[in-house]
Amino acid sequence: MSNSHAVPILRTADPSAALRAVDGLLGIADLRDFEVDYTAVISSPDALKALSEFLQYGTWYACDESGSPGPGDDPAEYLPIRWLALGDEPETVPGFLEALNGTPATVRWDFSGWPAAPEAGLGPGGARGAFVTLCVNVRDLELMEPADDCTVYVHVKQREAERAPWLAAQVGLRVIGEGVEAPY
């Protein structure tokens, strides 16, 4: 099984505009099995405190070669860390975005599938490859390229790449860059 093909459709310094685009995409998606996943690269004790208060669960690991943390280890001793929280409720997104305060992160909405795209010659798309990701304070899905803006990506199956421009058009946008293989 391969990863999804993620295609950028919006880059903006306005998080509200990014969330409106996401809402538009979710408005046409099959939202059965709907959940949100978070990833953040946390570099400071203040950011760790803010995000730990918001996300009181999840998995974290050191971003460098300092070793694998064990149960009960203090994440502050391993900064920078990558924090991953899976399967949250969609209503938690605004609080997560507020807690970031400059921390590079992604929010990924997972759901059951995309609608048929008859103009692109495609039937309904299944769950594999049906995601929307918002990158915040970072340009890429791997959280490596810092930015002062947000990027919205639509995920599709690579063999159905023509679905991405169709999805963008459904919310009044267009593809703005090359698609990449999503990290998970």
Side-chain angles (χ1 to χ4, degrees):
M1 187 142 75
S2 65
N3 292 351
S4 64
H5 188 68
V7 181
I9 63 166
L10 176 65
R11 186 161 292 126
T12 178
D14 180 2
S16 300
L19 287 174
R20 282 191 300 277
V22 169
D23 286 343
L25 291 163
L26 296 177
I28 63 171
D30 178 348
L31 297 183
R32 287 176 293 152
D33 302 319
F34 187 40
E35 65 183 30
V36 175
D37 301 333
Y38 299 113
T39 305
V41 173
I42 304 170
S43 299
S44 74
D46 289 340
L48 177 60
K49 183 178 186 304
L51 285 166
S52 293
E53 288 174 1
F54 178 76
L55 293 175
Q56 298 177 0
Y57 67 96
T59 303
W60 62 270
Y61 54 92
C63 291
D64 61 17
E65 302 298 319
S66 62
S68 296
D73 281 352
D74 182 0
E77 294 177 16
Y78 290 87
L79 293 174
I81 62 168
R82 183 176 290 260
W83 191 289
L84 179 64
L86 303 175
D88 211 336
E89 297 296 320
E91 298 79 25
T92 62
V93 172
F96 176 75
L97 294 176
E98 187 175 315
L100 287 176
N101 196 26
T103 299
T106 62
V107 179
R108 187 174 96 165
W109 289 263
D110 298 355
F111 41 87
S112 293
W114 290 119
E119 298 90 337
L122 296 170
R128 193 175 61 83
F131 313 107
V132 176
T133 299
L134 172 61
C135 292
V136 182
N137 305 316
V138 67
R139 204 41 73 80
D140 64 311
L141 297 167
E142 298 282 350
L143 301 169
M144 301 294 288
E145 187 181 338
D148 293 329
D149 55 19
C150 305
T151 304
V152 175
Y153 288 84
V154 293
H155 295 249
V156 297
K157 296 174 187 171
Q158 186 156 3
R159 71 175 186 266
E160 294 181 355
E162 59 274 13
R163 189 182 303 277
W166 182 86
L167 287 166
Q170 302 312 298
V171 293
L173 299 171
R174 62 181 177 74
V175 169
I176 60 168
E178 295 295 318
V180 296
E181 185 175 332
Y184 68 96

